[in-house]
Amino acid sequence: MNDLPTPPAGPRISLADEAKTHSEDPFFQKCADQFAELQQAICTEVERADGAATFVIDNWERPHGGDGGPILGGHGSTRILEGGRVFERAGVGFSLVFGRFTDEFAARLPVGTGNLFAATGVSLVFHPRSPHLPTVHMNCRRLSRGGAGWFGGGADLTPYYVNEDDARHFHQTLADSCDRHPEIADYPAMKRACDRYFFNHHRGECRGIGGTFFDYLTDEKHPRDDVFAFVADTGKALIDAYFPIVARHKDRLWTEEERRWQLIR
């Protein structure tokens, strides 16, 4: 009996190509575009507030196929401002990457299946010169894995000398952002989550005065467009929450003793 002919092999899809499909979903691209726009808006505010220094921009691209690590491709923009009049150093990063989680890490994730993922987000940290200006952190992100998707993020403030008016303003601005999305966001719960997540066990204290923290806001729990609207609002609220504080205090004089305390903290 003659052997049947072997059918021709179809095109082989690499792991990198398969992972890349997670980042090509139109909704995922919409999130990435919003995060890139937010990065630009925040950098504009930083340069305006500083009045002297500008960001050095590194637009990067990860080679398709990766280098043996978990990231198999992607691109982003890393922006650093150093030596400014107001900001000693400020960094704002945007990225869109896709790749493969390790089996060990994938097993710990409560959302999605498999190892392939895509992630996009924007994050920042600002270190001011003046001890009367607080450090601020913020992150907003979207991840997709095995047909599932979720958002995470938050923002928090670390003053060296606590100003009660500034603290109220920061928290109220973030609370107002949550109140605009009552089906998604619970500010008291997100504030508690922030305090827990950033608790400094070595010092036995919270990091600064806190803010908001959230993770695993999944597409199964909430309509993803509604969560996206809240996350985008969180990023924009950071501008309203932080830069009025900068404007109030950036021209205040400080002493060497206050500067030493800032470096210790």
Side-chain angles (χ1 to χ4, degrees):
M1 187 172 100
N2 293 331
D3 291 336
L4 294 175
T6 301
R12 185 173 181 179
I13 300 176
S14 71
L15 189 64
D17 288 330
E18 188 176 356
K20 187 172 185 291
T21 63
H22 288 251
S23 69
E24 293 174 336
D25 171 72
F27 181 77
F28 188 89
Q29 287 292 329
K30 176 182 175 182
C31 296
D33 290 344
Q34 174 63 47
F35 294 148
E37 291 174 9
L38 180 59
Q39 180 192 43
Q40 179 58 53
I42 291 172
C43 288
T44 297
E45 292 296 330
V46 172
E47 291 182 345
R48 181 182 293 122
D50 190 88
T54 58
F55 280 92
V56 174
I57 300 175
D58 176 19
N59 295 324
W60 54 267
E61 186 166 354
R62 182 64 63 93
H64 193 66
D67 55 5
I71 304 300
L72 301 176
H75 66 274
S77 180
T78 302
R79 304 186 182 190
I80 302 294
L81 179 148
E82 290 184 296
R85 185 177 73 88
V86 174
F87 294 101
E88 198 164 39
R89 198 164 203 241
V92 189
F94 160 76
S95 63
L96 185 161
V97 297
F98 52 90
R100 183 182 187 278
F101 291 131
T102 64
D103 291 341
E104 184 178 38
F105 185 80
R108 298 202 302 266
L109 293 175
V111 182
T113 58
N115 296 68
L116 301 182
F117 74 92
T120 184
V122 59
S123 61
L124 64 83
V125 58
F126 301 156
H127 291 289
R129 285 192 181 280
S130 170
H132 300 301
L133 292 178
T135 288
V136 68
H137 310 83
M138 192 273 291
N139 173 276
C140 295
R141 58 191 178 272
R142 166 75 182 183
L143 288 93
S144 296
R145 174 197 180 210
W150 68 96
F151 289 94
D156 67 283
L157 196 71
T158 305
Y160 306 99
Y161 290 92
V162 176
N163 180 294
E164 292 187 5
D165 289 338
D166 293 344
R168 279 192 291 267
H169 167 77
F170 185 82
H171 284 296
Q172 190 60 58
T173 305
L174 294 185
D176 290 345
S177 174
C178 291
D179 290 345
R180 290 191 288 270
H181 309 271
E183 299 302 319
I184 306 298
D186 179 343
Y187 179 74
M190 290 180 174
K191 170 65 168 66
R192 291 192 297 271
C194 181
D195 291 341
R196 287 195 302 270
Y197 189 81
F198 292 115
F199 188 79
N200 188 325
H201 292 276
H202 176 69
R203 289 182 170 179
E205 63 185 28
C206 295
R207 184 176 79 179
I209 64 169
T212 58
F213 177 82
F214 54 91
D215 206 356
Y216 299 116
L217 295 182
T218 67
D219 300 348
E220 292 182 347
K221 292 180 181 177
H222 309 284
R224 64 184 188 178
D225 284 301
D226 292 350
V227 183
F228 171 68
F230 161 64
V231 173
D233 201 356
T234 294
K236 295 173 185 175
L238 186 279
I239 294 174
D240 296 330
Y242 183 66
F243 288 99
I245 297 174
V246 174
R248 282 196 290 271
H249 303 296
K250 68 179 184 179
D251 294 322
R252 285 183 62 184
L253 299 178
W254 67 85
T255 66
E256 286 302 316
E257 182 180 355
E258 289 171 331
R259 176 63 172 167
R260 283 196 297 271
W261 177 250
Q262 179 190 31
L263 297 176
I264 290 172
R265 297 300 292 169

